[in-house]
PDB file of all heavy atoms in Angstrom:
ATOM      1  N   SER O   1      37.822 -30.642-102.642  1.00  0.00           N
ATOM      2  CA  SER O   1      38.714 -31.464-101.831  1.00  0.00           C
ATOM      3  C   SER O   1      40.144 -31.091-102.190  1.00  0.00           C
ATOM      4  O   SER O   1      40.529 -31.165-103.356  1.00  0.00           O
ATOM      5  CB  SER O   1      38.470 -32.950-102.117  1.00  0.00           C
ATOM      6  OG  SER O   1      39.477 -33.734-101.521  1.00  0.00           O
ATOM      7  N   LYS O   2      40.915 -30.721-101.200  1.00  0.00           N
ATOM      8  CA  LYS O   2      42.306 -30.341-101.440  1.00  0.00           C
ATOM      9  C   LYS O   2      43.282 -31.468-101.125  1.00  0.00           C
ATOM     10  O   LYS O   2      44.483 -31.305-101.268  1.00  0.00           O
ATOM     11  CB  LYS O   2      42.650 -29.088-100.654  1.00  0.00           C
ATOM     12  CG  LYS O   2      41.805 -27.893-101.083  1.00  0.00           C
ATOM     13  CD  LYS O   2      42.357 -26.603-100.562  1.00  0.00           C
ATOM     14  CE  LYS O   2      41.543 -25.418-101.013  1.00  0.00           C
ATOM     15  NZ  LYS O   2      41.670 -25.115-102.405  1.00  0.00           N
ATOM     16  N   SER O   3      42.737 -32.633-100.687  1.00  0.00           N
ATOM     17  CA  SER O   3      43.597 -33.768-100.340  1.00  0.00           C
ATOM     18  C   SER O   3      42.743 -35.032-100.241  1.00  0.00           C
ATOM     19  O   SER O   3      41.515 -34.962-100.196  1.00  0.00           O
ATOM     20  CB  SER O   3      44.283 -33.526 -98.992  1.00  0.00           C
ATOM     21  OG  SER O   3      43.321 -33.533 -97.947  1.00  0.00           O
ATOM     22  N   GLU O   4      43.420 -36.162-100.168  1.00  0.00           N
ATOM     23  CA  GLU O   4      42.712 -37.420 -99.944  1.00  0.00           C
ATOM     24  C   GLU O   4      41.976 -37.387 -98.608  1.00  0.00           C
ATOM     25  O   GLU O   4      40.870 -37.923 -98.489  1.00  0.00           O
ATOM     26  CB  GLU O   4      43.682 -38.608 -99.988  1.00  0.00           C
ATOM     27  CG  GLU O   4      44.149 -38.950-101.381  1.00  0.00           C
ATOM     28  CD  GLU O   4      44.939 -40.248-101.443  1.00  0.00           C
ATOM     29  OE1 GLU O   4      45.140 -40.914-100.394  1.00  0.00           O
ATOM     30  OE2 GLU O   4      45.337 -40.616-102.566  1.00  0.00           O
ATOM     31  N   MET O   5      42.564 -36.744 -97.625  1.00  0.00           N
ATOM     32  CA  MET O   5      41.915 -36.644 -96.307  1.00  0.00           C
ATOM     33  C   MET O   5      40.602 -35.871 -96.412  1.00  0.00           C
ATOM     34  O   MET O   5      39.619 -36.231 -95.754  1.00  0.00           O
ATOM     35  CB  MET O   5      42.850 -35.993 -95.281  1.00  0.00           C
ATOM     36  CG  MET O   5      43.998 -36.894 -94.855  1.00  0.00           C
ATOM     37  SD  MET O   5      43.506 -38.535 -94.253  1.00  0.00           S
ATOM     38  CE  MET O   5      42.470 -38.102 -92.879  1.00  0.00           C
ATOM     39  N   ASP O   6      40.564 -34.809 -97.209  1.00  0.00           N
ATOM     40  CA  ASP O   6      39.317 -34.062 -97.413  1.00  0.00           C
ATOM     41  C   ASP O   6      38.242 -34.955 -98.028  1.00  0.00           C
ATOM     42  O   ASP O   6      37.083 -34.928 -97.617  1.00  0.00           O
ATOM     43  CB  ASP O   6      39.535 -32.859 -98.341  1.00  0.00           C
ATOM     44  CG  ASP O   6      40.191 -31.673 -97.669  1.00  0.00           C
ATOM     45  OD1 ASP O   6      40.403 -31.701 -96.441  1.00  0.00           O
ATOM     46  OD2 ASP O   6      40.497 -30.705 -98.397  1.00  0.00           O
ATOM     47  N   THR O   7      38.637 -35.754 -99.023  1.00  0.00           N
ATOM     48  CA  THR O   7      37.689 -36.652 -99.684  1.00  0.00           C
ATOM     49  C   THR O   7      37.178 -37.691 -98.700  1.00  0.00           C
ATOM     50  O   THR O   7      35.977 -37.979 -98.642  1.00  0.00           O
ATOM     51  CB  THR O   7      38.349 -37.333-100.901  1.00  0.00           C
ATOM     52  OG1 THR O   7      38.753 -36.315-101.831  1.00  0.00           O
ATOM     53  CG2 THR O   7      37.393 -38.294-101.583  1.00  0.00           C
ATOM     54  N   MET O   8      38.076 -38.237 -97.893  1.00  0.00           N
ATOM     55  CA  MET O   8      37.682 -39.239 -96.898  1.00  0.00           C
ATOM     56  C   MET O   8      36.766 -38.614 -95.838  1.00  0.00           C
ATOM     57  O   MET O   8      35.806 -39.240 -95.388  1.00  0.00           O
ATOM     58  CB  MET O   8      38.910 -39.881 -96.264  1.00  0.00           C
ATOM     59  CG  MET O   8      39.668 -40.774 -97.236  1.00  0.00           C
ATOM     60  SD  MET O   8      41.139 -41.533 -96.529  1.00  0.00           S
ATOM     61  CE  MET O   8      40.393 -42.789 -95.510  1.00  0.00           C
ATOM     62  N   GLU O   9      37.050 -37.375 -95.469  1.00  0.00           N
ATOM     63  CA  GLU O   9      36.222 -36.699 -94.468  1.00  0.00           C
ATOM     64  C   GLU O   9      34.802 -36.474 -94.992  1.00  0.00           C
ATOM     65  O   GLU O   9      33.826 -36.675 -94.266  1.00  0.00           O
ATOM     66  CB  GLU O   9      36.854 -35.363 -94.073  1.00  0.00           C
ATOM     67  CG  GLU O   9      36.108 -34.659 -92.961  1.00  0.00           C
ATOM     68  CD  GLU O   9      36.800 -33.383 -92.525  1.00  0.00           C
ATOM     69  OE1 GLU O   9      38.016 -33.438 -92.243  1.00  0.00           O
ATOM     70  OE2 GLU O   9      36.128 -32.340 -92.477  1.00  0.00           O
ATOM     71  N   LEU O  10      34.667 -36.091 -96.251  1.00  0.00           N
ATOM     72  CA  LEU O  10      33.335 -35.939 -96.836  1.00  0.00           C
ATOM     73  C   LEU O  10      32.598 -37.280 -96.807  1.00  0.00           C
ATOM     74  O   LEU O  10      31.426 -37.352 -96.424  1.00  0.00           O
ATOM     75  CB  LEU O  10      33.418 -35.409 -98.266  1.00  0.00           C
ATOM     76  CG  LEU O  10      32.062 -35.347 -98.992  1.00  0.00           C
ATOM     77  CD1 LEU O  10      31.121 -34.352 -98.307  1.00  0.00           C
ATOM     78  CD2 LEU O  10      32.255 -35.010-100.459  1.00  0.00           C
ATOM     79  N   ALA O  11      33.287 -38.336 -97.193  1.00  0.00           N
ATOM     80  CA  ALA O  11      32.678 -39.667 -97.182  1.00  0.00           C
ATOM     81  C   ALA O  11      32.241 -40.053 -95.767  1.00  0.00           C
ATOM     82  O   ALA O  11      31.159 -40.613 -95.576  1.00  0.00           O
ATOM     83  CB  ALA O  11      33.666 -40.699 -97.729  1.00  0.00           C
ATOM     84  N   GLN O  12      33.059 -39.736 -94.777  1.00  0.00           N
ATOM     85  CA  GLN O  12      32.721 -40.049 -93.389  1.00  0.00           C
ATOM     86  C   GLN O  12      31.503 -39.251 -92.928  1.00  0.00           C
ATOM     87  O   GLN O  12      30.655 -39.769 -92.200  1.00  0.00           O
ATOM     88  CB  GLN O  12      33.930 -39.803 -92.490  1.00  0.00           C
ATOM     89  CG  GLN O  12      35.043 -40.796 -92.747  1.00  0.00           C
ATOM     90  CD  GLN O  12      36.375 -40.393 -92.156  1.00  0.00           C
ATOM     91  OE1 GLN O  12      36.556 -39.285 -91.672  1.00  0.00           O
ATOM     92  NE2 GLN O  12      37.338 -41.303 -92.205  1.00  0.00           N
ATOM     93  N   ASN O  13      31.402 -38.015 -93.366  1.00  0.00           N
ATOM     94  CA  ASN O  13      30.238 -37.197 -93.026  1.00  0.00           C
ATOM     95  C   ASN O  13      28.970 -37.752 -93.667  1.00  0.00           C
ATOM     96  O   ASN O  13      27.902 -37.773 -93.045  1.00  0.00           O
ATOM     97  CB  ASN O  13      30.448 -35.745 -93.429  1.00  0.00           C
ATOM     98  CG  ASN O  13      31.482 -35.050 -92.562  1.00  0.00           C
ATOM     99  OD1 ASN O  13      31.763 -35.479 -91.447  1.00  0.00           O
ATOM    100  ND2 ASN O  13      32.061 -33.987 -93.083  1.00  0.00           N
ATOM    101  N   ILE O  14      29.086 -38.203 -94.904  1.00  0.00           N
ATOM    102  CA  ILE O  14      27.935 -38.814 -95.578  1.00  0.00           C
ATOM    103  C   ILE O  14      27.564 -40.117 -94.879  1.00  0.00           C
ATOM    104  O   ILE O  14      26.385 -40.410 -94.670  1.00  0.00           O
ATOM    105  CB  ILE O  14      28.224 -39.017 -97.079  1.00  0.00           C
ATOM    106  CG1 ILE O  14      28.279 -37.647 -97.774  1.00  0.00           C
ATOM    107  CG2 ILE O  14      27.174 -39.916 -97.729  1.00  0.00           C
ATOM    108  CD1 ILE O  14      28.714 -37.682 -99.223  1.00  0.00           C
ATOM    109  N   GLU O  15      28.560 -40.894 -94.465  1.00  0.00           N
ATOM    110  CA  GLU O  15      28.295 -42.149 -93.756  1.00  0.00           C
ATOM    111  C   GLU O  15      27.514 -41.887 -92.477  1.00  0.00           C
ATOM    112  O   GLU O  15      26.649 -42.674 -92.097  1.00  0.00           O
ATOM    113  CB  GLU O  15      29.620 -42.862 -93.434  1.00  0.00           C
ATOM    114  CG  GLU O  15      29.447 -44.239 -92.802  1.00  0.00           C
ATOM    115  CD  GLU O  15      29.199 -44.222 -91.298  1.00  0.00           C
ATOM    116  OE1 GLU O  15      29.535 -43.215 -90.628  1.00  0.00           O
ATOM    117  OE2 GLU O  15      28.660 -45.227 -90.777  1.00  0.00           O
ATOM    118  N   SER O  16      27.768 -40.767 -91.816  1.00  0.00           N
ATOM    119  CA  SER O  16      27.074 -40.472 -90.559  1.00  0.00           C
ATOM    120  C   SER O  16      25.570 -40.288 -90.767  1.00  0.00           C
ATOM    121  O   SER O  16      24.798 -40.357 -89.824  1.00  0.00           O
ATOM    122  CB  SER O  16      27.683 -39.242 -89.881  1.00  0.00           C
ATOM    123  OG  SER O  16      27.354 -38.065 -90.601  1.00  0.00           O
ATOM    124  N   GLU O  17      25.154 -40.069 -92.015  1.00  0.00           N
ATOM    125  CA  GLU O  17      23.739 -39.896 -92.360  1.00  0.00           C
ATOM    126  C   GLU O  17      23.182 -41.120 -93.085  1.00  0.00           C
ATOM    127  O   GLU O  17      22.113 -41.062 -93.690  1.00  0.00           O
ATOM    128  CB  GLU O  17      23.579 -38.655 -93.244  1.00  0.00           C
ATOM    129  CG  GLU O  17      24.079 -37.368 -92.627  1.00  0.00           C
ATOM    130  CD  GLU O  17      23.247 -36.917 -91.435  1.00  0.00           C
ATOM    131  OE1 GLU O  17      22.019 -37.122 -91.458  1.00  0.00           O
ATOM    132  OE2 GLU O  17      23.836 -36.367 -90.484  1.00  0.00           O
ATOM    133  N   LYS O  18      23.894 -42.230 -93.031  1.00  0.00           N
ATOM    134  CA  LYS O  18      23.526 -43.421 -93.812  1.00  0.00           C
ATOM    135  C   LYS O  18      22.140 -43.937 -93.457  1.00  0.00           C
ATOM    136  O   LYS O  18      21.616 -43.656 -92.385  1.00  0.00           O
ATOM    137  CB  LYS O  18      24.550 -44.526 -93.609  1.00  0.00           C
ATOM    138  CG  LYS O  18      24.516 -45.120 -92.208  1.00  0.00           C
ATOM    139  CD  LYS O  18      25.642 -46.079 -91.995  1.00  0.00           C
ATOM    140  CE  LYS O  18      25.742 -46.537 -90.558  1.00  0.00           C
ATOM    141  NZ  LYS O  18      25.967 -45.493 -89.576  1.00  0.00           N
ATOM    142  N   PHE O  19      21.594 -44.702 -94.380  1.00  0.00           N
ATOM    143  CA  PHE O  19      20.322 -45.374 -94.154  1.00  0.00           C
ATOM    144  C   PHE O  19      20.300 -46.640 -94.997  1.00  0.00           C
ATOM    145  O   PHE O  19      21.006 -46.738 -95.997  1.00  0.00           O
ATOM    146  CB  PHE O  19      19.134 -44.457 -94.496  1.00  0.00           C
ATOM    147  CG  PHE O  19      19.209 -43.824 -95.852  1.00  0.00           C
ATOM    148  CD1 PHE O  19      18.748 -44.497 -96.981  1.00  0.00           C
ATOM    149  CD2 PHE O  19      19.753 -42.554 -96.011  1.00  0.00           C
ATOM    150  CE1 PHE O  19      18.827 -43.915 -98.235  1.00  0.00           C
ATOM    151  CE2 PHE O  19      19.823 -41.967 -97.268  1.00  0.00           C
ATOM    152  CZ  PHE O  19      19.354 -42.650 -98.384  1.00  0.00           C
ATOM    153  N   PRO O  20      19.526 -47.645 -94.574  1.00  0.00           N
ATOM    154  CA  PRO O  20      19.450 -48.891 -95.340  1.00  0.00           C
ATOM    155  C   PRO O  20      18.957 -48.637 -96.761  1.00  0.00           C
ATOM    156  O   PRO O  20      18.032 -47.859 -96.972  1.00  0.00           O
ATOM    157  CB  PRO O  20      18.436 -49.737 -94.555  1.00  0.00           C
ATOM    158  CG  PRO O  20      18.459 -49.169 -93.178  1.00  0.00           C
ATOM    159  CD  PRO O  20      18.727 -47.694 -93.355  1.00  0.00           C
ATOM    160  N   GLY O  21      19.608 -49.266 -97.710  1.00  0.00           N
ATOM    161  CA  GLY O  21      19.233 -49.097 -99.113  1.00  0.00           C
ATOM    162  C   GLY O  21      19.873 -47.892 -99.784  1.00  0.00           C
ATOM    163  O   GLY O  21      19.556 -47.565-100.914  1.00  0.00           O
ATOM    164  N   MET O  22      20.807 -47.234 -99.097  1.00  0.00           N
ATOM    165  CA  MET O  22      21.477 -46.065 -99.671  1.00  0.00           C
ATOM    166  C   MET O  22      22.286 -46.477-100.899  1.00  0.00           C
ATOM    167  O   MET O  22      22.998 -47.479-100.880  1.00  0.00           O
ATOM    168  CB  MET O  22      22.400 -45.426 -98.628  1.00  0.00           C
ATOM    169  CG  MET O  22      23.214 -44.252 -99.152  1.00  0.00           C
ATOM    170  SD  MET O  22      24.374 -43.636 -97.894  1.00  0.00           S
ATOM    171  CE  MET O  22      23.382 -42.332 -97.217  1.00  0.00           C
ATOM    172  N   ILE O  23      22.176 -45.689-101.955  1.00  0.00           N
ATOM    173  CA  ILE O  23      22.917 -45.914-103.194  1.00  0.00           C
ATOM    174  C   ILE O  23      23.758 -44.672-103.469  1.00  0.00           C
ATOM    175  O   ILE O  23      23.220 -43.561-103.573  1.00  0.00           O
ATOM    176  CB  ILE O  23      21.964 -46.137-104.398  1.00  0.00           C
ATOM    177  CG1 ILE O  23      20.920 -47.204-104.111  1.00  0.00           C
ATOM    178  CG2 ILE O  23      22.763 -46.424-105.662  1.00  0.00           C
ATOM    179  CD1 ILE O  23      21.448 -48.598-103.935  1.00  0.00           C
ATOM    180  N   ILE O  24      25.071 -44.865-103.608  1.00  0.00           N
ATOM    181  CA  ILE O  24      25.981 -43.763-103.938  1.00  0.00           C
ATOM    182  C   ILE O  24      26.695 -44.130-105.224  1.00  0.00           C
ATOM    183  O   ILE O  24      27.336 -45.182-105.317  1.00  0.00           O
ATOM    184  CB  ILE O  24      27.001 -43.507-102.811  1.00  0.00           C
ATOM    185  CG1 ILE O  24      26.277 -43.203-101.495  1.00  0.00           C
ATOM    186  CG2 ILE O  24      27.947 -42.365-103.201  1.00  0.00           C
ATOM    187  CD1 ILE O  24      27.199 -43.086-100.294  1.00  0.00           C
ATOM    188  N   CYS O  25      26.582 -43.262-106.219  1.00  0.00           N
ATOM    189  CA  CYS O  25      27.163 -43.489-107.542  1.00  0.00           C
ATOM    190  C   CYS O  25      28.349 -42.555-107.728  1.00  0.00           C
ATOM    191  O   CYS O  25      28.211 -41.338-107.592  1.00  0.00           O
ATOM    192  CB  CYS O  25      26.115 -43.215-108.620  1.00  0.00           C
ATOM    193  SG  CYS O  25      24.636 -44.232-108.447  1.00  0.00           S
ATOM    194  N   LEU O  26      29.505 -43.125-108.037  1.00  0.00           N
ATOM    195  CA  LEU O  26      30.734 -42.345-108.185  1.00  0.00           C
ATOM    196  C   LEU O  26      31.215 -42.401-109.630  1.00  0.00           C
ATOM    197  O   LEU O  26      31.359 -43.484-110.197  1.00  0.00           O
ATOM    198  CB  LEU O  26      31.823 -42.899-107.266  1.00  0.00           C
ATOM    199  CG  LEU O  26      31.457 -43.073-105.786  1.00  0.00           C
ATOM    200  CD1 LEU O  26      32.640 -43.662-105.026  1.00  0.00           C
ATOM    201  CD2 LEU O  26      31.012 -41.766-105.171  1.00  0.00           C
ATOM    202  N   ASN O  27      31.467 -41.238-110.205  1.00  0.00           N
ATOM    203  CA  ASN O  27      31.957 -41.159-111.580  1.00  0.00           C
ATOM    204  C   ASN O  27      33.108 -40.166-111.656  1.00  0.00           C
ATOM    205  O   ASN O  27      33.150 -39.202-110.906  1.00  0.00           O
ATOM    206  CB  ASN O  27      30.831 -40.749-112.526  1.00  0.00           C
ATOM    207  CG  ASN O  27      29.763 -41.818-112.606  1.00  0.00           C
ATOM    208  OD1 ASN O  27      30.020 -42.911-113.082  1.00  0.00           O
ATOM    209  ND2 ASN O  27      28.577 -41.518-112.104  1.00  0.00           N
ATOM    210  N   GLY O  28      34.016 -40.412-112.570  1.00  0.00           N
ATOM    211  CA  GLY O  28      35.176 -39.551-112.753  1.00  0.00           C
ATOM    212  C   GLY O  28      36.299 -40.373-113.350  1.00  0.00           C
ATOM    213  O   GLY O  28      36.264 -41.607-113.337  1.00  0.00           O
ATOM    214  N   GLU O  29      37.286 -39.684-113.859  1.00  0.00           N
ATOM    215  CA  GLU O  29      38.374 -40.387-114.532  1.00  0.00           C
ATOM    216  C   GLU O  29      39.187 -41.239-113.559  1.00  0.00           C
ATOM    217  O   GLU O  29      39.054 -41.116-112.335  1.00  0.00           O
ATOM    218  CB  GLU O  29      39.272 -39.375-115.256  1.00  0.00           C
ATOM    219  CG  GLU O  29      39.953 -38.390-114.329  1.00  0.00           C
ATOM    220  CD  GLU O  29      40.684 -37.290-115.081  1.00  0.00           C
ATOM    221  OE1 GLU O  29      40.035 -36.336-115.521  1.00  0.00           O
ATOM    222  OE2 GLU O  29      41.917 -37.408-115.221  1.00  0.00           O
ATOM    223  N   LEU O  30      40.009 -42.109-114.116  1.00  0.00           N
ATOM    224  CA  LEU O  30      40.901 -42.932-113.300  1.00  0.00           C
ATOM    225  C   LEU O  30      41.749 -42.034-112.407  1.00  0.00           C
ATOM    226  O   LEU O  30      42.262 -41.006-112.856  1.00  0.00           O
ATOM    227  CB  LEU O  30      41.814 -43.780-114.191  1.00  0.00           C
ATOM    228  CG  LEU O  30      41.169 -44.948-114.914  1.00  0.00           C
ATOM    229  CD1 LEU O  30      42.123 -45.526-115.957  1.00  0.00           C
ATOM    230  CD2 LEU O  30      40.751 -46.027-113.935  1.00  0.00           C
ATOM    231  N   GLY O  31      41.904 -42.427-111.159  1.00  0.00           N
ATOM    232  CA  GLY O  31      42.745 -41.670-110.238  1.00  0.00           C
ATOM    233  C   GLY O  31      42.124 -40.403-109.695  1.00  0.00           C
ATOM    234  O   GLY O  31      42.812 -39.582-109.091  1.00  0.00           O
ATOM    235  N   SER O  32      40.809 -40.239-109.852  1.00  0.00           N
ATOM    236  CA  SER O  32      40.180 -38.993-109.411  1.00  0.00           C
ATOM    237  C   SER O  32      39.738 -39.022-107.950  1.00  0.00           C
ATOM    238  O   SER O  32      39.376 -37.987-107.403  1.00  0.00           O
ATOM    239  CB  SER O  32      38.986 -38.651-110.313  1.00  0.00           C
ATOM    240  OG  SER O  32      38.005 -39.665-110.275  1.00  0.00           O
ATOM    241  N   GLY O  33      39.764 -40.190-107.306  1.00  0.00           N
ATOM    242  CA  GLY O  33      39.448 -40.250-105.885  1.00  0.00           C
ATOM    243  C   GLY O  33      38.240 -41.085-105.512  1.00  0.00           C
ATOM    244  O   GLY O  33      37.817 -41.090-104.356  1.00  0.00           O
ATOM    245  N   LYS O  34      37.695 -41.817-106.460  1.00  0.00           N
ATOM    246  CA  LYS O  34      36.496 -42.623-106.184  1.00  0.00           C
ATOM    247  C   LYS O  34      36.763 -43.671-105.100  1.00  0.00           C
ATOM    248  O   LYS O  34      35.998 -43.773-104.137  1.00  0.00           O
ATOM    249  CB  LYS O  34      35.990 -43.289-107.471  1.00  0.00           C
ATOM    250  CG  LYS O  34      35.551 -42.291-108.540  1.00  0.00           C
ATOM    251  CD  LYS O  34      35.062 -42.964-109.808  1.00  0.00           C
ATOM    252  CE  LYS O  34      36.102 -43.788-110.525  1.00  0.00           C
ATOM    253  NZ  LYS O  34      37.220 -43.042-111.092  1.00  0.00           N
TER     254      LYS O  34
END
């Protein structure tokens, strides 16, 4: 991801494949984009 927009776009693409009961775990240091 080269920008916040890239990160948001990936999230939007993942959302397009969503399903009930989906679990997404985010890890990384403070300010990393979670």
Side-chain angles (χ1 to χ4, degrees):
S1 170
K2 298 194 179 289
S3 67
E4 286 189 0
M5 288 307 300
D6 282 354
T7 299
M8 290 179 75
E9 185 176 309
L10 175 64
Q12 292 165 351
N13 290 339
I14 290 173
E15 185 277 339
S16 71
E17 302 292 325
K18 69 187 172 300
F19 51 85
M22 176 184 265
I23 309 294
I24 302 174
C25 302
L26 308 179
N27 294 295
E29 63 188 80
L30 287 169
S32 60
K34 297 180 297 294

